Amino acid sequence: RRAGRTPTARPPLPPRSPRRRLRAAFEASERASPFAFAFVVVVVVAVRASSRAPDKGTYRTQHPPSPRSTVAMAKATTCKDAIKALEAEKGVVAAEQEKVLLFAKVPPIEKMDGSLSTLKACAHLSLSTNNIEKISALSGLDNLKILSLGKNLIKKIENLDGVAATLEELWISYNNIEKLTNIDKLTNLRVLYMSNNKVADFKELEKLSSLANLSELLLVGNPVYTASEDAQSLGSEYRIEVLKRVPQLVKLDGVPVDVDEKEKAKEMLAEEAAA
């Protein structure tokens, strides 16, 4: 710079919306590996929490809290309020949208309520990264094909009768599910993402055998997976045990099912039946 001249400070650039910047990454990671999903969840929550000014009574701390840690600080967000906020932000009518994203609310959603039944055109509903403990209030969603409930506090697969005829994909990773009771009602299910739950018994997977359209299953992080040696390798004991019970699978834990694996699973079943 020339001597005697004082540099002029540039005005700061306007802040970019964390929601807009991270939405695409969140949706993509939710369908990808559980590790990518968990990473993006943490980033979303941290950016949203840290971007709020402390003088507005929000949750800024030295270490930005997750939605679950704010539950004692503020009243939970209702589905009705989340839908209204979506309409105000996007300038849309929620009842007319095919894709409705209500994930990672701060404060988090704790209960699925009757306001969800107003989403008549919804084909993809995301309620992931909240504090939901029970699946409910899905009657009336006559076009629902994808239901995303990952990163909640759900213990049971229940109350899906209202969407059983249409639901094709259930994303329910990072919950507390031990049993697959009622999953057989989802006769058109093609994709089941349920990594990082608490399924510990291979016998639970037998409840998936009647789902003729089920082609993709994600079980990474469940006890049946973590207790197995080299579970991800083709032909591993874990993969064979799963295929013995769910032979219609095309992809398991993100890895295409090999023809040899299917044959080995079939042979083992025949040997067990003959014994």
Side-chain angles (χ1 to χ4, degrees):
R1 71 185 178 200
R2 297 181 182 178
R5 295 186 65 180
T6 302
T8 304
R10 296 182 180 179
L13 295 174
R16 295 168 62 189
S17 166
R19 180 188 295 270
R20 188 173 301 170
R21 187 168 63 248
L22 294 170
R23 183 183 297 276
F26 188 97
E27 293 179 40
S29 68
E30 192 177 21
R31 296 190 301 270
S33 72
F35 310 105
F37 175 64
F39 174 76
V40 175
V41 166
V42 171
V43 173
V44 170
V45 172
V47 171
R48 290 183 65 187
S50 62
S51 66
R52 299 173 187 265
D55 61 346
K56 293 185 179 179
T58 50
Y59 314 108
R60 184 164 182 153
T61 63
Q62 184 177 1
H63 301 287
S66 69
R68 294 176 184 176
S69 67
T70 66
V71 67
M73 299 181 184
K75 186 178 179 181
T77 300
T78 64
C79 289
K80 183 177 181 180
D81 289 341
I83 291 170
K84 285 183 178 179
L86 174 68
E87 291 180 324
E89 179 187 353
K90 298 295 182 181
V92 298
V93 177
E96 299 174 354
Q97 302 304 301
E98 293 186 4
K99 191 172 187 178
V100 179
L101 306 179
L102 306 177
F103 61 77
K105 292 300 165 184
V106 179
I109 296 170
E110 294 183 353
K111 182 180 180 181
M112 298 169 67
D113 59 45
S115 60
L116 295 174
S117 65
T118 64
L119 305 174
K120 299 298 183 183
C122 183
H124 180 167
L125 174 62
S126 176
L127 288 160
S128 58
T129 318
N130 282 293
N131 268 5
I132 297 168
E133 296 184 358
K134 184 177 181 179
I135 302 172
S136 60
L138 291 172
S139 295
L141 278 74
D142 300 331
N143 296 297
L144 192 65
K145 293 183 178 181
I146 301 174
L147 177 59
S148 173
L149 291 169
K151 205 76 174 177
N152 277 288
L153 304 171
I154 297 168
K155 296 181 180 180
K156 296 180 181 179
I157 296 175
E158 58 185 339
N159 300 319
L160 291 170
D161 304 67
V163 296
T166 60
L167 196 66
E168 297 181 0
E169 300 188 22
L170 179 59
W171 306 353
I172 200 163
S173 296
Y174 293 92
N175 278 284
N176 300 311
I177 297 169
E178 296 180 23
K179 308 291 184 181
L180 295 178
T181 306
N182 299 318
I183 194 74
D184 57 314
K185 296 179 180 179
L186 304 178
T187 54
N188 288 309
L189 196 67
R190 294 187 300 102
V191 174
L192 178 59
Y193 295 148
M194 58 174 303
S195 67
N196 295 277
N197 275 278
K198 297 184 177 181
V199 179
D201 193 338
F202 282 109
K203 289 184 178 179
E204 283 300 311
L205 303 181
E206 293 173 5
K207 296 170 184 175
L208 300 173
S209 62
S210 63
L211 302 178
N213 296 317
L214 186 64
S215 60
E216 186 171 354
L217 177 63
L218 184 64
L219 291 172
V220 173
N222 282 273
V224 291
Y225 180 94
T226 57
S228 304
E229 293 185 8
D230 204 19
Q232 191 71 356
S233 298
L234 287 175
S236 67
E237 181 180 354
Y238 156 79
R239 289 178 65 87
I240 299 302
E241 288 298 321
V242 174
L243 292 172
K244 280 166 57 178
R245 294 161 174 83
V246 201
Q248 68 271 35
L249 290 179
V250 175
K251 185 181 289 187
L252 174 59
D253 297 328
V255 179
V257 174
D258 186 80
V259 174
D260 292 338
E261 289 182 307
K262 284 201 171 189
E263 287 299 320
K264 186 175 181 180
K266 183 185 275 189
E267 289 174 4
M268 289 185 68
L269 273 177
E271 291 174 3
E272 291 173 6

